[in-house]
Amino acid sequence: MVEATQGGGLLSGLRVVECSMLGPGAVSTPLADLGADVIKVEPPSGDYIRAMSWPIVEGRSLLHLHISRGKRSIVLDLRTEDGKAVFLDLVKDADVVVEAMRPGGLDRRGLGYAALREINPKVVMFTISGYGMTGPYRDLPSHGIAYDAWAGTVTPVPGPDGLPTIPDHTSIGITAGPLFGTAAILAAVIRARESGEGCHLEVAQSDAAAAFDWLRSEGHRAYERPADEVTGNPSDGFERRPPGTAGMEEGVRYQFYASKDGHVLFMASEQKFWRNFCAAVGRDDLYEANPGSKLADHARGNLPLRHELAAIFAERTTAEWIELGLSADVPIGPANTPASIAHDPQFADRMPWQPAARLVADQLPFPVRVVGEAPPAAALPAPEPGEHTEEILRDVLGYDAARLTALRASGALGS
Protein backbone atom coordinates (compact mmCIF):
# COMPACT_ATOMS: atom_id res chain seq x y z
CA MET A 1 0.00 0.00 0.00
CA VAL A 2 1.33 3.41 -0.98
CA GLU A 3 0.96 5.89 1.86
CA ALA A 4 -0.14 9.41 1.00
CA THR A 5 1.91 12.12 2.60
CA GLN A 6 0.93 15.61 3.62
CA GLY A 7 0.63 17.81 0.54
CA GLY A 8 2.18 21.21 0.00
CA GLY A 9 -0.34 22.98 2.18
CA LEU A 10 -2.17 24.88 -0.57
CA LEU A 11 -4.35 26.49 2.11
CA SER A 12 -1.74 26.99 4.81
CA GLY A 13 -2.49 30.32 6.43
CA LEU A 14 -6.26 29.88 6.12
CA ARG A 15 -8.00 29.61 9.48
CA VAL A 16 -11.48 28.16 9.82
CA VAL A 17 -13.56 28.19 13.01
CA GLU A 18 -16.17 25.45 12.75
CA CYS A 19 -19.29 24.89 14.82
CA SER A 20 -20.76 21.66 13.54
CA MET A 21 -22.93 18.73 14.48
CA LEU A 22 -22.85 15.51 12.47
CA GLY A 23 -22.30 15.28 8.72
CA PRO A 24 -22.46 18.95 7.61
CA GLY A 25 -19.01 19.43 9.17
CA ALA A 26 -17.71 17.80 5.98
CA VAL A 27 -17.65 21.25 4.39
CA SER A 28 -14.33 21.99 6.06
CA THR A 29 -12.77 18.54 5.62
CA PRO A 30 -11.34 19.37 2.16
CA LEU A 31 -10.00 22.62 3.59
CA ALA A 32 -8.20 20.71 6.32
CA ASP A 33 -6.88 18.20 3.78
CA LEU A 34 -5.44 21.11 1.80
CA GLY A 35 -3.63 22.55 4.80
CA ALA A 36 -6.07 24.97 6.43
CA ASP A 37 -6.13 25.22 10.22
CA VAL A 38 -9.66 24.06 11.06
CA ILE A 39 -10.65 24.58 14.68
CA LYS A 40 -13.73 22.60 15.64
CA VAL A 41 -15.60 24.32 18.48
CA GLU A 42 -17.58 21.75 20.44
CA PRO A 43 -20.06 22.02 23.32
CA PRO A 44 -19.08 20.44 26.65
CA SER A 45 -20.99 17.29 25.66
CA GLY A 46 -19.07 17.07 22.37
CA ASP A 47 -20.39 16.44 18.89
CA TYR A 48 -22.30 13.15 19.04
CA ILE A 49 -21.11 12.33 15.52
CA ARG A 50 -18.63 10.02 17.24
CA ALA A 51 -21.44 7.58 18.06
CA MET A 52 -23.46 7.86 14.85
CA SER A 53 -23.68 5.39 11.97
CA TRP A 54 -21.33 2.47 11.40
CA PRO A 55 -18.77 1.01 11.36
CA ILE A 56 -17.36 1.97 14.76
CA VAL A 57 -13.56 1.88 14.67
CA GLU A 58 -11.79 1.72 18.02
CA GLY A 59 -14.80 3.27 19.71
CA ARG A 60 -15.41 6.10 17.21
CA SER A 61 -17.60 6.19 14.14
CA LEU A 62 -16.01 6.16 10.72
CA LEU A 63 -18.27 9.16 10.00
CA HIS A 64 -16.37 11.16 12.61
CA LEU A 65 -12.96 9.77 11.73
CA HIS A 66 -13.42 10.85 8.11
CA ILE A 67 -15.24 14.18 8.48
CA SER A 68 -13.20 15.45 11.44
CA ARG A 69 -9.76 14.35 10.23
CA GLY A 70 -7.10 17.02 10.21
CA LYS A 71 -9.05 19.30 12.57
CA ARG A 72 -8.31 20.52 16.08
CA SER A 73 -10.98 20.48 18.78
CA ILE A 74 -11.67 23.03 21.46
CA VAL A 75 -14.54 22.77 23.95
CA LEU A 76 -16.36 26.03 24.67
CA ASP A 77 -19.63 26.50 26.49
CA LEU A 78 -21.21 29.20 24.36
CA ARG A 79 -23.97 29.61 26.93
CA THR A 80 -21.44 31.40 29.14
CA GLU A 81 -20.17 34.94 28.59
CA ASP A 82 -16.55 33.81 28.90
CA GLY A 83 -17.15 31.07 26.34
CA LYS A 84 -18.61 33.60 23.90
CA ALA A 85 -15.67 35.93 24.51
CA VAL A 86 -13.17 33.18 23.63
CA PHE A 87 -15.16 32.35 20.50
CA LEU A 88 -15.04 35.98 19.38
CA ASP A 89 -11.29 36.05 20.02
CA LEU A 90 -10.95 33.08 17.68
CA VAL A 91 -13.02 34.86 15.04
CA LYS A 92 -10.93 38.06 15.14
CA ASP A 93 -8.18 36.59 12.97
CA ALA A 94 -10.15 33.82 11.26
CA ASP A 95 -10.92 33.75 7.55
CA VAL A 96 -14.02 31.59 7.81
CA VAL A 97 -16.65 30.66 10.39
CA VAL A 98 -18.64 27.52 9.56
CA GLU A 99 -22.09 27.03 11.06
CA ALA A 100 -22.91 23.40 10.26
CA MET A 101 -26.19 22.84 12.05
CA ARG A 102 -29.75 24.11 11.84
CA PRO A 103 -29.73 27.73 10.61
CA GLY A 104 -29.55 30.40 13.28
CA GLY A 105 -27.82 28.32 15.91
CA LEU A 106 -25.03 30.86 16.37
CA ASP A 107 -27.36 33.84 16.03
CA ARG A 108 -29.43 32.58 18.97
CA ARG A 109 -26.27 32.72 21.05
CA GLY A 110 -25.52 36.29 19.97
CA LEU A 111 -22.79 35.06 17.61
CA GLY A 112 -24.48 35.47 14.23
CA TYR A 113 -22.96 37.13 11.20
CA ALA A 114 -23.84 40.67 12.29
CA ALA A 115 -21.94 40.19 15.55
CA LEU A 116 -18.98 38.48 13.89
CA ARG A 117 -18.44 41.12 11.20
CA GLU A 118 -18.27 43.82 13.89
CA ILE A 119 -15.02 42.32 15.14
CA ASN A 120 -13.80 41.00 11.77
CA PRO A 121 -15.25 42.73 8.68
CA LYS A 122 -13.42 40.31 6.37
CA VAL A 123 -14.83 37.14 7.92
CA VAL A 124 -16.72 34.77 5.65
CA MET A 125 -19.53 33.00 7.48
CA PHE A 126 -20.84 29.83 5.93
CA THR A 127 -24.07 28.16 7.02
CA ILE A 128 -24.77 24.62 5.83
CA SER A 129 -28.00 22.91 6.79
CA GLY A 130 -30.51 20.33 5.61
CA TYR A 131 -33.09 22.49 3.87
CA GLY A 132 -31.53 25.94 4.03
CA MET A 133 -32.29 29.21 5.78
CA THR A 134 -35.56 29.84 3.94
CA GLY A 135 -38.60 27.90 2.76
CA PRO A 136 -41.30 25.89 4.52
CA TYR A 137 -38.87 23.06 5.45
CA ARG A 138 -36.34 25.39 7.10
CA ASP A 139 -36.91 24.03 10.62
CA LEU A 140 -37.71 20.44 9.65
CA PRO A 141 -35.33 18.02 11.40
CA SER A 142 -33.59 15.68 8.97
CA HIS A 143 -30.72 13.33 8.24
CA GLY A 144 -28.64 12.66 5.16
CA ILE A 145 -30.88 10.39 3.07
CA ALA A 146 -33.70 12.96 3.36
CA TYR A 147 -31.95 15.26 0.89
CA ASP A 148 -31.51 12.54 -1.72
CA ALA A 149 -35.15 11.48 -1.32
CA TRP A 150 -36.28 15.11 -1.60
CA ALA A 151 -34.19 15.59 -4.75
CA GLY A 152 -35.48 12.38 -6.31
CA THR A 153 -32.05 10.76 -6.51
CA VAL A 154 -33.09 7.76 -4.40
CA THR A 155 -36.51 6.10 -4.38
CA PRO A 156 -38.05 3.30 -2.31
CA VAL A 157 -37.67 -0.33 -3.39
CA PRO A 158 -39.64 -3.35 -2.15
CA GLY A 159 -38.26 -4.70 1.12
CA PRO A 160 -39.32 -7.28 3.74
CA ASP A 161 -42.92 -8.36 3.22
CA GLY A 162 -43.13 -5.94 0.31
CA LEU A 163 -42.70 -2.90 2.56
CA PRO A 164 -40.87 0.11 1.04
CA THR A 165 -37.17 0.07 1.86
CA ILE A 166 -34.17 2.39 1.52
CA PRO A 167 -31.87 0.89 -1.18
CA ASP A 168 -28.10 0.94 -1.28
CA HIS A 169 -27.18 4.16 -3.06
CA THR A 170 -24.60 6.93 -3.28
CA SER A 171 -25.21 9.62 -0.64
CA ILE A 172 -25.29 12.79 -2.71
CA GLY A 173 -26.65 15.66 -0.61
CA ILE A 174 -24.30 15.23 2.34
CA THR A 175 -21.33 15.14 -0.04
CA ALA A 176 -22.35 17.61 -2.75
CA GLY A 177 -23.44 20.27 -0.26
CA PRO A 178 -20.01 20.48 1.37
CA LEU A 179 -18.21 20.42 -2.00
CA PHE A 180 -20.33 23.22 -3.45
CA GLY A 181 -19.79 25.02 -0.16
CA THR A 182 -16.03 24.61 -0.23
CA ALA A 183 -15.84 26.22 -3.67
CA ALA A 184 -18.00 29.15 -2.57
CA ILE A 185 -16.01 29.62 0.65
CA LEU A 186 -12.72 29.95 -1.21
CA ALA A 187 -14.26 32.34 -3.73
CA ALA A 188 -15.60 34.49 -0.88
CA VAL A 189 -12.24 34.47 0.92
CA ILE A 190 -10.49 35.67 -2.24
CA ARG A 191 -12.98 38.51 -2.58
CA ALA A 192 -12.74 39.37 1.11
CA ARG A 193 -8.95 39.60 0.96
CA GLU A 194 -9.19 41.92 -2.05
CA SER A 195 -12.10 44.07 -0.86
CA GLY A 196 -11.86 43.89 2.91
CA GLU A 197 -15.50 42.78 3.05
CA GLY A 198 -16.68 39.33 4.01
CA CYS A 199 -20.13 37.87 3.45
CA HIS A 200 -22.57 35.28 4.75
CA LEU A 201 -22.98 32.24 2.50
CA GLU A 202 -25.46 29.41 2.92
CA VAL A 203 -26.21 26.12 1.24
CA ALA A 204 -28.89 23.49 1.75
CA GLN A 205 -27.79 19.91 1.33
CA SER A 206 -31.15 19.25 -0.32
CA ASP A 207 -30.52 21.98 -2.91
CA ALA A 208 -27.07 20.54 -3.55
CA ALA A 209 -28.50 17.05 -4.18
CA ALA A 210 -30.90 18.52 -6.74
CA ALA A 211 -28.15 20.58 -8.38
CA PHE A 212 -25.86 17.55 -8.55
CA ASP A 213 -28.57 15.65 -10.42
CA TRP A 214 -29.22 18.55 -12.83
CA LEU A 215 -29.26 16.42 -15.99
CA ARG A 216 -32.41 14.52 -15.08
CA SER A 217 -34.42 17.40 -13.60
CA GLU A 218 -33.43 19.78 -16.38
CA GLY A 219 -34.22 17.03 -18.91
CA HIS A 220 -37.75 16.61 -17.57
CA ARG A 221 -38.13 20.39 -17.54
CA ALA A 222 -37.00 20.62 -21.16
CA TYR A 223 -39.55 17.98 -22.19
CA GLU A 224 -42.33 20.16 -20.81
CA ARG A 225 -41.81 22.34 -23.88
CA PRO A 226 -43.54 21.47 -27.18
CA ALA A 227 -42.15 18.55 -29.17
CA ASP A 228 -41.28 20.79 -32.09
CA GLU A 229 -38.99 22.81 -29.80
CA VAL A 230 -37.31 20.03 -27.80
CA THR A 231 -36.65 16.66 -29.43
CA GLY A 232 -34.61 13.56 -28.84
CA ASN A 233 -31.24 12.87 -30.45
CA PRO A 234 -31.06 12.50 -34.26
CA SER A 235 -29.57 9.01 -33.88
CA ASP A 236 -32.87 7.94 -32.26
CA GLY A 237 -34.99 9.48 -34.98
CA PHE A 238 -35.54 12.44 -32.62
CA GLU A 239 -37.60 10.25 -30.25
CA ARG A 240 -37.66 11.63 -26.72
CA ARG A 241 -35.80 9.09 -24.59
CA PRO A 242 -36.22 9.40 -20.81
CA PRO A 243 -33.77 11.96 -19.36
CA GLY A 244 -30.40 10.95 -17.98
CA THR A 245 -29.43 7.35 -17.44
CA ALA A 246 -33.07 6.23 -17.45
CA GLY A 247 -32.84 6.43 -21.21
CA MET A 248 -30.02 3.88 -21.26
CA GLU A 249 -32.04 0.78 -20.42
CA GLU A 250 -32.44 -0.29 -24.06
CA GLY A 251 -28.92 0.76 -25.05
CA VAL A 252 -26.75 -1.79 -26.85
CA ARG A 253 -23.52 -0.07 -27.86
CA TYR A 254 -23.58 1.70 -24.50
CA GLN A 255 -24.42 -0.96 -21.94
CA PHE A 256 -23.24 -3.34 -19.22
CA TYR A 257 -22.08 -6.78 -20.33
CA ALA A 258 -21.00 -9.82 -18.33
CA SER A 259 -17.34 -10.70 -18.76
CA LYS A 260 -15.79 -14.04 -17.92
CA ASP A 261 -15.23 -12.94 -14.31
CA GLY A 262 -17.44 -9.91 -13.71
CA HIS A 263 -18.97 -7.08 -15.72
CA VAL A 264 -17.77 -4.31 -18.01
CA LEU A 265 -19.37 -1.13 -19.28
CA PHE A 266 -19.16 -0.86 -23.06
CA MET A 267 -19.43 2.74 -24.36
CA ALA A 268 -19.02 2.74 -28.15
CA SER A 269 -21.62 5.43 -28.82
CA GLU A 270 -19.37 7.16 -31.40
CA GLN A 271 -19.15 5.40 -34.75
CA LYS A 272 -15.34 5.41 -34.74
CA PHE A 273 -15.21 3.55 -31.43
CA TRP A 274 -17.77 1.03 -32.66
CA ARG A 275 -15.64 0.42 -35.77
CA ASN A 276 -12.51 0.02 -33.64
CA PHE A 277 -14.21 -2.55 -31.42
CA CYS A 278 -15.57 -4.66 -34.25
CA ALA A 279 -12.16 -4.72 -35.94
CA ALA A 280 -10.38 -5.60 -32.67
CA VAL A 281 -12.59 -8.64 -32.01
CA GLY A 282 -12.52 -9.78 -35.66
CA ARG A 283 -16.18 -9.00 -36.27
CA ASP A 284 -16.18 -6.39 -39.01
CA ASP A 285 -19.45 -7.99 -40.13
CA LEU A 286 -21.17 -6.51 -37.09
CA TYR A 287 -20.07 -3.03 -38.09
CA GLU A 288 -21.05 -3.52 -41.72
CA ALA A 289 -24.52 -4.72 -40.72
CA ASN A 290 -25.00 -2.05 -38.05
CA PRO A 291 -22.82 1.00 -38.80
CA GLY A 292 -25.17 3.40 -37.02
CA SER A 293 -24.86 7.16 -36.83
CA LYS A 294 -21.65 9.11 -36.38
CA LEU A 295 -22.45 10.33 -32.85
CA ALA A 296 -24.56 9.34 -29.84
CA ASP A 297 -25.80 6.07 -31.33
CA HIS A 298 -26.46 3.31 -28.79
CA ALA A 299 -28.17 0.93 -31.26
CA ARG A 300 -31.10 1.26 -28.90
CA GLY A 301 -33.49 -1.69 -28.82
CA ASN A 302 -31.43 -3.89 -31.15
CA LEU A 303 -31.77 -7.07 -29.09
CA PRO A 304 -30.18 -9.41 -31.64
CA LEU A 305 -27.05 -7.26 -31.62
CA ARG A 306 -27.14 -7.09 -27.82
CA HIS A 307 -27.15 -10.89 -27.61
CA GLU A 308 -24.26 -11.08 -30.09
CA LEU A 309 -22.25 -8.69 -27.94
CA ALA A 310 -23.16 -10.57 -24.77
CA ALA A 311 -21.63 -13.73 -26.22
CA ILE A 312 -18.48 -11.85 -27.26
CA PHE A 313 -17.93 -10.19 -23.91
CA ALA A 314 -18.38 -13.46 -22.04
CA GLU A 315 -15.25 -14.82 -23.75
CA ARG A 316 -12.70 -12.63 -21.91
CA THR A 317 -12.01 -11.43 -18.40
CA THR A 318 -12.60 -7.85 -17.35
CA ALA A 319 -8.85 -7.20 -17.28
CA GLU A 320 -8.51 -8.54 -20.83
CA TRP A 321 -11.28 -6.24 -22.02
CA ILE A 322 -9.58 -3.24 -20.41
CA GLU A 323 -6.37 -4.19 -22.19
CA LEU A 324 -8.25 -4.38 -25.50
CA GLY A 325 -9.74 -0.97 -24.82
CA LEU A 326 -6.29 0.49 -24.29
CA SER A 327 -4.70 -1.13 -27.32
CA ALA A 328 -7.58 -0.64 -29.80
CA ASP A 329 -8.89 2.73 -28.55
CA VAL A 330 -12.27 1.45 -27.41
CA PRO A 331 -14.11 2.89 -24.38
CA ILE A 332 -14.60 -0.07 -22.02
CA GLY A 333 -14.59 0.26 -18.25
CA PRO A 334 -14.71 -2.15 -15.31
CA ALA A 335 -17.88 -2.36 -13.24
CA ASN A 336 -16.62 -2.21 -9.66
CA THR A 337 -18.45 -2.17 -6.34
CA PRO A 338 -17.57 -0.18 -3.22
CA ALA A 339 -16.17 -3.44 -1.83
CA SER A 340 -14.11 -4.37 -4.89
CA ILE A 341 -12.82 -1.02 -6.12
CA ALA A 342 -9.79 -1.09 -3.81
CA HIS A 343 -8.42 -3.98 -5.88
CA ASP A 344 -8.66 -2.03 -9.14
CA PRO A 345 -5.18 -1.07 -10.44
CA GLN A 346 -6.36 2.42 -11.41
CA PHE A 347 -7.61 2.97 -7.87
CA ALA A 348 -4.33 1.73 -6.42
CA ASP A 349 -2.40 4.16 -8.60
CA ARG A 350 -4.59 7.24 -8.06
CA MET A 351 -6.14 6.86 -4.60
CA PRO A 352 -3.54 5.67 -2.07
CA TRP A 353 -5.14 4.99 1.29
CA GLN A 354 -4.49 7.38 4.14
CA PRO A 355 -3.55 4.65 6.60
CA ALA A 356 -5.19 3.68 9.85
CA ALA A 357 -1.82 4.05 11.55
CA ARG A 358 -2.29 7.81 11.20
CA LEU A 359 -6.07 8.30 11.00
CA VAL A 360 -7.42 5.30 13.03
CA ALA A 361 -9.26 4.00 9.94
CA ASP A 362 -8.01 3.64 6.36
CA GLN A 363 -9.45 6.60 4.44
CA LEU A 364 -9.46 7.89 0.88
CA PRO A 365 -7.35 10.94 0.09
CA PHE A 366 -8.59 14.26 -1.24
CA PRO A 367 -8.82 13.49 -4.96
CA VAL A 368 -7.24 16.68 -6.37
CA ARG A 369 -3.49 16.98 -6.22
CA VAL A 370 -0.66 19.19 -7.36
CA VAL A 371 0.85 17.51 -10.41
CA GLY A 372 3.96 15.62 -9.38
CA GLU A 373 3.01 15.53 -5.68
CA ALA A 374 1.23 12.97 -3.54
CA PRO A 375 -2.46 13.64 -2.82
CA PRO A 376 -3.05 16.10 0.03
CA ALA A 377 -3.54 14.25 3.29
CA ALA A 378 -4.73 15.11 6.76
CA ALA A 379 -1.87 15.32 9.23
CA LEU A 380 -4.02 14.67 12.30
CA PRO A 381 -6.63 12.04 13.14
CA ALA A 382 -10.11 13.16 14.10
CA PRO A 383 -9.87 14.71 17.57
CA GLU A 384 -11.40 13.83 20.88
CA PRO A 385 -13.72 16.54 22.30
CA GLY A 386 -11.55 19.42 23.48
CA GLU A 387 -8.32 17.58 22.74
CA HIS A 388 -6.61 20.78 21.62
CA THR A 389 -8.32 23.29 23.90
CA GLU A 390 -5.25 24.43 25.82
CA GLU A 391 -3.04 24.28 22.73
CA ILE A 392 -5.40 26.57 20.81
CA LEU A 393 -5.90 29.00 23.69
CA ARG A 394 -2.19 29.20 24.33
CA ASP A 395 -0.72 29.11 20.82
CA VAL A 396 -3.46 30.74 18.75
CA LEU A 397 -4.85 33.28 21.21
CA GLY A 398 -1.80 33.75 23.43
CA TYR A 399 -3.66 33.17 26.71
CA ASP A 400 -1.43 32.72 29.75
CA ALA A 401 -1.80 30.20 32.55
CA ALA A 402 -3.80 32.58 34.70
CA ARG A 403 -6.35 33.16 31.95
CA LEU A 404 -6.68 29.43 31.37
CA THR A 405 -7.29 28.85 35.09
CA ALA A 406 -9.94 31.57 35.14
CA LEU A 407 -11.72 30.13 32.11
CA ARG A 408 -11.81 26.69 33.67
CA ALA A 409 -13.20 28.11 36.88
CA SER A 410 -15.95 30.03 35.01
CA GLY A 411 -17.14 26.92 33.19
CA ALA A 412 -16.36 28.40 29.78
CA LEU A 413 -14.34 25.28 28.90
CA GLY A 414 -16.92 22.83 30.22
CA SER A 415 -16.44 20.65 33.23
Side-chain angles (χ1 to χ4, degrees):
M1 176 173 61
V2 178
E3 179 176 339
T5 56
Q6 180 114 23
L10 292 174
L11 292 180
S12 61
L14 184 81
R15 176 158 292 150
V16 180
V17 177
E18 172 195 307
C19 294
S20 67
M21 296 295 289
L22 303 177
V27 69
S28 58
T29 304
L31 304 179
D33 283 346
L34 291 169
D37 180 17
V38 179
I39 297 173
K40 180 177 172 67
V41 178
E42 303 195 54
S45 59
D47 181 353
Y48 67 94
I49 188 175
R50 295 172 175 85
M52 289 292 284
S53 191
W54 57 88
I56 302 295
V57 183
E58 298 183 20
R60 287 155 288 176
S61 71
L62 180 60
L63 189 69
H64 166 63
L65 294 173
H66 181 96
I67 287 176
S68 303
R69 71 189 189 198
K71 303 176 184 181
R72 298 193 285 175
S73 171
I74 179 173
V75 164
L76 291 177
D77 191 339
L78 299 182
R79 298 169 299 182
T80 68
E81 292 304 313
D82 281 348
K84 293 177 185 178
V86 174
F87 184 84
L88 292 174
D89 279 348
L90 286 172
V91 173
K92 282 179 184 177
D93 293 317
D95 296 283
V96 181
V97 172
V98 169
E99 178 186 47
M101 56 184 72
R102 290 198 207 180
L106 287 178
D107 203 30
R108 288 190 291 273
R109 294 167 175 80
L111 299 171
Y113 178 61
L116 301 185
R117 69 176 304 185
E118 286 186 9
I119 63 166
N120 183 353
K122 294 196 299 182
V123 73
V124 172
M125 183 171 177
F126 182 81
T127 297
I128 178 170
S129 59
Y131 295 108
M133 295 177 65
T134 60
Y137 296 174
R138 175 187 185 277
D139 295 319
L140 184 65
S142 58
H143 282 303
I145 298 175
Y147 319 128
D148 299 334
W150 177 87
T153 65
V154 60
T155 54
V157 298
D161 294 331
L163 296 171
T165 295
I166 298 170
D168 184 22
H169 68 284
T170 300
S171 296
I172 295 176
I174 62 171
T175 302
L179 288 177
F180 283 126
T182 297
I185 285 171
L186 295 179
V189 169
I190 291 172
R191 190 179 75 171
R193 289 182 174 181
E194 292 176 346
S195 68
E197 289 291 325
C199 63
H200 187 183
L201 304 166
E202 70 114 351
V203 70
Q205 293 167 97
S206 53
D207 293 348
F212 202 83
D213 193 37
W214 65 268
L215 182 59
R216 290 195 295 177
S217 56
E218 290 183 19
H220 283 288
R221 179 74 169 181
Y223 281 163
E224 292 176 5
R225 298 174 61 180
D228 62 344
E229 292 182 6
V230 179
T231 71
N233 194 279
S235 66
D236 294 321
F238 300 100
E239 179 185 348
R240 290 182 171 197
R241 292 168 71 172
T245 54
M248 304 298 290
E249 183 177 1
E250 295 183 359
V252 176
R253 282 169 38 193
Y254 200 135
Q255 192 55 265
F256 283 119
Y257 288 96
S259 66
K260 186 180 288 187
D261 61 350
H263 287 85
V264 295
L265 180 62
F266 182 49
M267 299 163 282
S269 52
E270 294 95 334
Q271 193 177 61
K272 67 173 184 178
F273 290 138
W274 173 229
R275 184 190 298 113
N276 290 350
F277 172 80
C278 292
V281 297
R283 292 296 305 272
D284 289 315
D285 59 301
L286 291 180
Y287 177 79
E288 292 165 2
N290 307 275
S293 302
K294 182 178 180 180
L295 297 173
D297 194 332
H298 301 159
R300 179 177 172 226
N302 188 339
L303 277 176
L305 177 59
R306 191 165 174 178
H307 284 294
E308 286 265 18
L309 292 176
I312 292 171
F313 277 105
E315 295 173 353
R316 308 189 194 196
T317 66
T318 295
E320 288 170 335
W321 282 119
I322 301 306
E323 186 57 39
L324 180 140
L326 289 167
S327 61
D329 193 28
V330 177
I332 302 175
N336 292 314
T337 69
S340 70
I341 189 172
H343 305 292
D344 187 292
Q346 179 73 9
F347 180 95
D349 182 86
R350 297 279 304 176
M351 300 287 281
W353 290 102
Q354 297 189 54
R358 187 173 75 246
L359 298 182
V360 184
D362 288 338
Q363 298 178 36
L364 300 181
F366 186 75
V368 182
R369 67 181 78 180
V370 177
V371 175
E373 296 183 11
L380 302 172
E384 295 298 316
E387 179 180 341
H388 306 97
T389 296
E390 292 195 11
E391 172 186 308
I392 292 167
L393 296 178
R394 183 182 62 249
D395 299 343
V396 175
L397 299 182
Y399 290 178
D400 59 21
R403 183 71 187 278
L404 292 176
T405 299
L407 287 171
R408 290 194 203 94
S410 72
L413 310 182
S415 58

